[in-house]
Amino acid sequence: MSYTYFMPTRIAWGVGALDGIGAAARGLGLGRVLVVTDPAIAAQPFFAAALDSLREAGVAVALFEECGIDARLSHIDAQAARCRSEGVAGVVCIGGGSVMCTGKGVAIVAANGTSLREHLGAGNFERPALPMIMVPTTAGSGSEVSQYTIVKDEERHLKLLAGGPLSFPAVAILDPCVLASLPRGAAVMSAVDALTHAIEAYFTDLATPLTDALALEAASLQAGSMRASILDGDAEARARNLMASAMSNIACGNARLSHAHALSLPLEGHLDLAHPFGVGTLVPWTMAFNAEAAPEKGRRLAGALGADIRGLTDAEAVAAGQDALFRLYDDLGFPRHLGPDQLPAERVGEMARLAVPGLYAPRTPEHVDASTPIAAPAVRTMTVADAVGIYERCFGR
Ligand SMILES: [Fe+2]
């Protein structure tokens, strides 16, 4: 096999990086931008300062401040139409994953058509998205360095993926000042999601030494700094969290995501489970499942997650890695398991069948049975029957 690695986003990292947002927009030649955010971020002093920086640089600003928990198809299509009618040249996203996914969807549709529905899947559009500047306010989804957007279709209760090499953000600004106002619950959820991106990328069959280096260091950096960043508000730890979440997403942007995200998708679409609860409770088990096909990697990852693996067999090391992950969850108040209200026992089989198309090929095969594989670029094939077992473990059974 041959592999490619691509990541064209310029990253500005560190205290004060956000001050440069006006210059960054000017540097991209943007005279008018759509700034996308949510109501909570819109009220923050750093948001006002970012708008001042843009205006002082001579960049006109149109605002969309109504993002919610998920990026919504209806928001994207409406704002893309607005961009075309108002002559918007670029999109600035200041917010978490749903804000950045909304803005990325807008940037794709504004340049290519009338609805994101026409561009679902990987690489399904022809013209470059409008230039994007991303300021993640969580650490995080990693959407600031990702070509993909994950969007909720409210009418059909589906989570959908779109994006391609033409929808990488131009600039990502990682400034730890934005994390100071982030509520603890949201900080935990986004950091756990980021950690799953590193773990997932490490166990795909598209992983390379380049993505492994990013994934392993990101897992170590994230797991090692989450307590100090989130529980103690340590500024240096916050900066490391932001870098780790970006690194995780650069890794999975090239090596892709795997079983935890594939199995979480139907829970999010059909049961309205928040993404981090799905992937966070699934990943200890999908990690162990895949480590059986890559024991040396399982061992190294366990060490990166903070487990003491000296003298342990590979299987014991993976179990120690799971344990390190669970202890991290406990300290941060993140659940080890899903409850029956989040994943009803009688719907487990249905969820496993719905997970078959995976993240990257949104089509269900005509016939699905217990032996049908879940579509995922993983080191080990997972069948529908295996997926049922993984969901059961999420219950703690
Ligand atoms: Fe994720």
Side-chain angles (χ1 to χ4, degrees):
M1 282 186 76
S2 64
Y3 302 85
T4 57
Y5 173 88
F6 185 54
M7 214 304 281
T9 306
R10 183 163 73 82
I11 298 173
W13 179 53
V15 175
L18 187 54
D19 299 342
I21 193 168
R26 239 11 285 181
L28 293 168
L30 304 178
R32 184 174 179 78
V33 296
L34 178 72
V35 175
V36 180
T37 192
D38 64 37
I41 298 294
Q44 296 299 326
F46 69 77
F47 181 77
L51 294 189
D52 287 345
S53 172
L54 287 165
R55 289 175 178 135
E56 282 163 16
V59 179
V61 169
L63 280 173
F64 178 68
E65 304 178 330
E66 292 162 37
C67 291
I69 289 171
D70 292 301
R72 292 194 211 157
L73 202 61
S74 56
H75 283 168
I76 287 170
D77 293 352
Q79 292 305 309
R82 178 184 174 195
C83 285
R84 284 192 297 272
S85 69
E86 295 183 11
V88 166
V91 179
V92 173
C93 300
I94 305 178
S98 63
V99 166
M100 291 187 282
C101 281
T102 301
K104 201 177 294 167
V106 171
I108 292 169
V109 178
N112 282 282
T114 56
S115 173
L116 196 68
R117 280 208 181 93
E118 298 156 13
H119 307 294
L120 298 177
N124 188 21
F125 55 93
E126 290 179 359
R127 287 193 288 275
L130 298 187
M132 289 167 264
I133 298 174
M134 299 293 195
V135 182
T137 59
T138 62
S141 72
S143 184
E144 70 275 10
V145 290
S146 164
Q147 62 192 295
Y148 296 113
T149 175
I150 307 249
V151 173
K152 185 151 191 174
D153 181 338
E154 311 100 299
E155 286 173 26
R156 294 190 290 167
H157 303 285
L158 293 173
K159 281 278 189 114
L160 306 165
L161 176 139
L166 300 177
S167 54
F168 272 101
V171 179
I173 298 176
L174 312 182
D175 189 328
C177 82
V178 302
L179 296 183
S181 61
L182 186 65
R184 180 179 290 188
V188 171
M189 301 249 283
S190 52
V192 168
D193 184 26
L195 188 53
T196 71
H197 296 158
I199 295 170
E200 292 259 88
Y202 197 53
F203 285 116
T204 76
D205 60 5
L206 296 169
T208 64
L210 192 52
T211 59
D212 282 352
L214 285 163
L216 206 58
E217 182 62 17
S220 170
L221 204 56
Q222 189 80 328
S225 61
M226 278 164 77
R227 289 179 179 89
S229 165
I230 297 169
L231 302 179
D232 306 332
D234 182 86
E236 275 187 31
R238 282 178 176 150
R240 289 198 296 276
N241 261 197
L242 273 170
M243 179 56 90
S245 62
M247 289 166 66
S248 300
N249 215 288
I250 297 169
C252 72
N254 285 276
R256 294 202 168 187
L257 292 164
S258 180
H259 293 132
H261 279 72
L263 267 56
S264 182
L265 214 53
L267 308 184
E268 296 167 40
H270 292 263
L271 303 176
D272 283 327
L273 188 71
H275 176 75
F277 286 138
V279 293
T281 53
L282 284 159
V283 86
W285 308 108
T286 59
M287 170 180 97
F289 179 88
N290 282 295
E292 283 191 32
E296 177 56 29
K297 292 188 92 168
R299 181 180 194 85
R300 291 173 69 190
L301 180 63
L305 292 172
D308 183 356
I309 55 172
R310 288 170 297 182
L312 301 184
T313 65
D314 290 339
E316 288 167 345
V318 171
Q322 268 186 318
D323 198 48
L325 205 48
F326 283 134
R327 277 185 278 113
L328 181 62
Y329 287 2
D330 293 347
D331 289 349
L332 296 169
F334 187 85
R336 289 184 178 209
H337 302 295
L338 295 176
D341 50 332
Q342 292 164 306
L343 175 54
E346 68 275 14
R347 296 193 70 178
V348 162
E350 175 196 355
M351 293 299 121
R353 290 189 296 278
L354 286 167
V356 164
L359 267 186
Y360 302 99
R363 256 177 225 97
T364 312
E366 279 181 21
H367 177 73
V368 173
D369 60 29
S371 64
T372 306
I374 307 292
V379 291
R380 186 177 171 200
T381 300
M382 180 183 286
T383 63
V384 166
D386 294 327
V388 167
I390 298 274
Y391 283 131
E392 293 289 349
R393 300 237 169 174
C394 277
F395 275 123
R397 291 202 285 253

